[in-house]
Amino acid sequence: KAGVTQTPRYLIKTRGQQVTLSCSPISGHRSVSWYQQTPGQGLQFLFEYFSETQRNKGNFPGRFSGRQFSNSRSEMNVSTLELGDSALYLCASSLRSNWRGGNTGELFFGEGSRLTVL
Amino acid sequence: GESVGLHLPTLSVQEGDNSIINCAYSNSASDYFIWYKQESGKGPQFIIDIRSNMDKRQGQRVTVLLNKTVKHLSLQIAATQPGDSAVYFCAENRFGDTDKLIFGTGTRLQVFP
């Protein structure tokens, strides 16, 4: 069974540009969440999607957005890139089957997309 | 604010010794805790979890201890092996927060032969 796949693995952008990152969850997983990992701030929750709807959102500016498609694949977009957006962006999927409530299901992480902003 | 932290950024142990990685959390509303292992170039990998109605949970060579009184979590690795070298994160989750995790800052475990 294939794991969580993220593309691209590495990319370099300049300030002011925008970037789109893609995530394909494990087959059958409907919940996808995104995390930003930096040396200074560690792992921080960005947002979570379930059945094409954002279910939860972290404390990031509106430049960070995401979406989920009917096949559960997800994308996240960062507009007007800043130097501080340089990070490893991790996608995770889980087998959660319900929309509301409860704790997390076991999260399976991809290897991440490493973004460098120059 | 919300925070989950670790006491030691780097832990060096000799192969075969036991390792203990500590974590402090700040929110008493958290009721589910998970330890993750992250190897270089990879995403975090689930190791073991524990719910707040438990004090201890054991897995294969790993044990997680939860002390709700002092909001402390620890991961014990028995007979540490070179393959255990990685960064370890604790994470907290709250009922209703679904898949949103609050991660600690991480501890790097180095295993020497």
Side-chain angles (χ1 to χ4, degrees):
Chain A
K1 195 174 191 180
V4 176
T5 304
Q6 293 187 244
T7 56
R9 287 294 312 280
Y10 303 91
L11 66 166
I12 300 174
K13 294 285 187 178
T14 57
R15 281 180 297 175
Q17 287 186 311
Q18 72 162 11
V19 66
T20 299
L21 308 177
S22 179
C23 172
S24 294
I26 292 173
S27 178
H29 286 195
R30 296 168 63 188
S31 182
V32 174
S33 49
W34 289 87
Y35 289 82
Q36 181 197 62
Q37 186 173 27
T38 61
Q41 299 298 318
L43 277 153
Q44 292 188 293
F45 173 80
L46 280 158
F47 25 65
E48 176 192 353
Y49 288 88
F50 183 87
S51 292
E52 302 178 65
T53 304
Q54 188 178 87
R55 178 164 57 184
N56 224 330
K57 190 177 189 302
N59 296 323
F60 279 83
R63 300 185 297 107
F64 292 81
S65 62
R67 60 178 175 169
Q68 187 181 31
F69 302 95
S70 59
N71 60 358
S72 295
R73 190 176 69 85
S74 177
E75 289 181 347
M76 66 163 285
N77 183 276
V78 187
S79 62
T80 319
L81 285 166
E82 302 177 358
L83 295 179
D85 297 332
S86 294
L88 180 67
Y89 290 89
L90 291 159
C91 170
S93 70
S94 81
L95 202 51
R96 285 186 60 84
S97 59
N98 56 313
W99 163 258
R100 293 192 183 281
N103 289 103
T104 180
E106 181 176 345
L107 294 186
F108 294 85
F109 283 86
E111 294 187 329
S113 292
R114 183 165 295 282
L115 170 65
T116 301
V117 182
L118 302 177
Chain B
E2 303 171 342
S3 68
V4 178
L6 291 169
H7 297 163
L8 299 173
T10 303
L11 177 64
S12 298
V13 301
Q14 194 160 20
E15 182 179 356
D17 286 351
N18 296 333
S19 303
I20 299 177
I21 301 172
N22 296 301
C23 174
Y25 65 96
S26 61
N27 196 317
S28 57
S30 294
D31 59 358
Y32 180 54
F33 304 89
I34 312 107
W35 281 99
Y36 284 89
K37 172 186 180 183
Q38 187 175 24
E39 296 175 288
S40 180
K42 297 186 178 180
Q45 180 182 10
F46 174 94
I47 301 173
I48 191 169
D49 59 358
I50 188 169
R51 297 197 177 272
S52 59
N53 60 352
M54 303 173 67
D55 297 324
K56 179 180 180 179
R57 189 160 190 232
Q58 288 183 294
Q60 188 175 14
R61 285 202 305 119
V62 294
T63 300
V64 55
L65 299 177
L66 176 62
N67 186 330
K68 295 181 289 294
T69 302
V70 295
K71 298 177 188 171
H72 185 267
L73 193 67
S74 69
L75 176 70
Q76 300 179 0
I77 304 173
T80 312
Q81 302 170 358
D84 295 327
S85 294
V87 177
Y88 290 80
F89 295 93
C90 64
E92 65 177 289
N93 179 244
R94 303 167 213 188
F95 190 88
D97 274 355
T98 56
D99 287 348
K100 175 184 177 181
L101 300 180
I102 298 173
F103 280 88
T105 54
T107 292
R108 181 175 300 279
L109 176 64
Q110 296 179 327
V111 183
F112 293 95

